[in-house]
Amino acid sequence: MTLPDGAVDKGSKSFKDKKEAQEFKVQVEKRAKQIKETVFVEAVFLDDAVEQWKDFCLGYTEPTRYLYILLVEKFIEFLDGEVVYISDLETSDINTFLNSLMKRGIANSSVNNSLTSIKSLCSYMSENYKIANPAQGIKKLKEGDIDANYWSMEEYQRVLMKSPDFARRCRTEIRLERGAQYGYCPVPF
């Protein structure tokens, strides 16, 4: 058969070597399987996904929901419109944001709060839109011990005697050398 461009179609591909034919067959079947398993996802705007995630956040407690939404909005603001579709969000975008927080001197615990919020958003998008989770594998930062100087019982008693009003107002900030929790006061006011 002659094709419109003048070439002669000799039919399907033929192989001289049986091994070559089998390798070709394996490749074709592998590719067919990949195409069959591929999930084609409609392009979803990141802003739309965030709004739907906010509805999902109604399942969280009010303080958690407020914090998550606030921190994710800061992340979206940081992206500055460079990521339009959820499929465009990459691990590097998240890492760049977290690095910018650290460069500004934000405490590791606050950076971790931002990461947790972003992971919530990314998990939601991954589950609901069948995309790879860009936050997967990003680990939290180590949070060090609080650098605190504790008062001895003697120092505490002195403050109590000299300035009872001050001690009463600031009792949540008073730290005893025993490492008492904030708000704990061994002497009733």
Side-chain angles (χ1 to χ4, degrees), residues 5 7 26 33 38 56 63 85-86 92 96 101 107 112 120 128 139 141-142 147 153 159 161 181 186:
D5 65 355
V26 168
K33 184 179 177 187
T38 301
F56 168 78
Y85 298 103
I86 61 171
S92 61
T96 302
L101 294 177
N112 286 341
S120 172
N128 291 282
K139 301 208 184 298
L141 301 173
K142 285 189 176 183
D147 185 23
M153 185 58 82
V159 169
M161 295 305 220
Q181 294 178 344

Side-chain angles (χ1 to χ4, degrees), residues 111-144:
V111 174
N112 286 341
N113 286 341
S114 293
L115 176 58
T116 301
S117 303
I118 294 167
K119 280 187 168 195
S120 172
L121 171 66
C122 291
S123 293
Y124 173 83
M125 293 188 309
S126 177
E127 291 171 19
N128 291 282
Y129 299 106
K130 307 299 183 224
I131 62 166
N133 185 341
Q136 190 170 6
I138 300 177
K139 301 208 184 298
K140 287 185 173 185
L141 301 173
K142 285 189 176 183
E143 296 179 25

Side-chain angles (χ1 to χ4, degrees), residues 26-38:
V26 168
Q27 288 176 349
V28 169
E29 288 172 349
K30 182 179 176 183
R31 181 67 183 137
K33 184 179 177 187
Q34 286 175 336
I35 291 171
K36 190 175 184 181
E37 291 175 353
T38 301

Side-chain angles (χ1 to χ4, degrees), residues 59-79:
Y60 295 137
T61 63
E62 189 173 338
T64 300
R65 180 174 59 245
Y66 175 79
L67 180 65
Y68 276 23
I69 290 172
L70 176 74
L71 296 174
V72 164
E73 285 175 346
K74 286 183 179 186
F75 172 61
I76 299 301
E77 185 180 313
F78 173 82
L79 294 174

Side-chain angles (χ1 to χ4, degrees), residues 5-183:
D5 65 355
V8 177
D9 182 9
K10 297 180 183 177
S12 63
K13 184 169 177 125
S14 60
F15 298 93
K16 294 179 182 166
D17 183 20
K18 188 173 184 177
K19 184 178 177 184
E20 184 183 351
Q22 288 173 333
E23 287 174 359
F24 181 77
K25 181 182 176 188
V26 168
Q27 288 176 349
V28 169
E29 288 172 349
K30 182 179 176 183
R31 181 67 183 137
K33 184 179 177 187
Q34 286 175 336
I35 291 171
K36 190 175 184 181
E37 291 175 353
T38 301
V39 177
F40 294 96
V41 180
E42 181 181 324
V44 177
F45 289 108
L46 181 61
D47 290 340
D48 292 343
V50 169
E51 289 304 313
Q52 291 172 1
W53 169 79
K54 287 179 183 178
D55 290 339
F56 168 78
C57 286
L58 292 172
Y60 295 137
T61 63
E62 189 173 338
T64 300
R65 180 174 59 245
Y66 175 79
L67 180 65
Y68 276 23
I69 290 172
L70 176 74
L71 296 174
V72 164
E73 285 175 346
K74 286 183 179 186
F75 172 61
I76 299 301
E77 185 180 313
F78 173 82
L79 294 174
D80 197 29
E82 290 183 25
V83 178
V84 177
Y85 298 103
I86 61 171
S87 56
D88 296 337
L89 184 62
E90 296 179 358
T91 303
S92 61
D93 297 317
I94 299 167
N95 283 328
T96 302
F97 173 69
L98 298 175
N99 286 334
S100 75
L101 294 177
M102 289 185 289
K103 285 179 184 174
R104 289 183 15 218
I106 305 296
N108 285 2
S109 59
S110 297
V111 174
N112 286 341
N113 286 341
S114 293
L115 176 58
T116 301
S117 303
I118 294 167
K119 280 187 168 195
S120 172
L121 171 66
C122 291
S123 293
Y124 173 83
M125 293 188 309
S126 177
E127 291 171 19
N128 291 282
Y129 299 106
K130 307 299 183 224
I131 62 166
N133 185 341
Q136 190 170 6
I138 300 177
K139 301 208 184 298
K140 287 185 173 185
L141 301 173
K142 285 189 176 183
E143 296 179 25
D145 294 333
I146 296 173
D147 185 23
N149 295 320
Y150 295 102
W151 287 356
S152 67
M153 185 58 82
E154 192 176 286
E155 291 170 320
Y156 176 72
Q157 291 296 337
R158 254 188 286 144
V159 169
L160 204 70
M161 295 305 220
K162 289 185 178 182
S163 308
D165 291 335
F166 173 76
R168 202 172 286 120
R169 277 195 327 268
C170 301
R171 72 175 183 227
T172 57
E173 296 177 25
I174 296 172
R175 301 177 185 145
L176 303 173
E177 69 181 346
R178 296 183 200 153
Q181 294 178 344
Y182 291 86

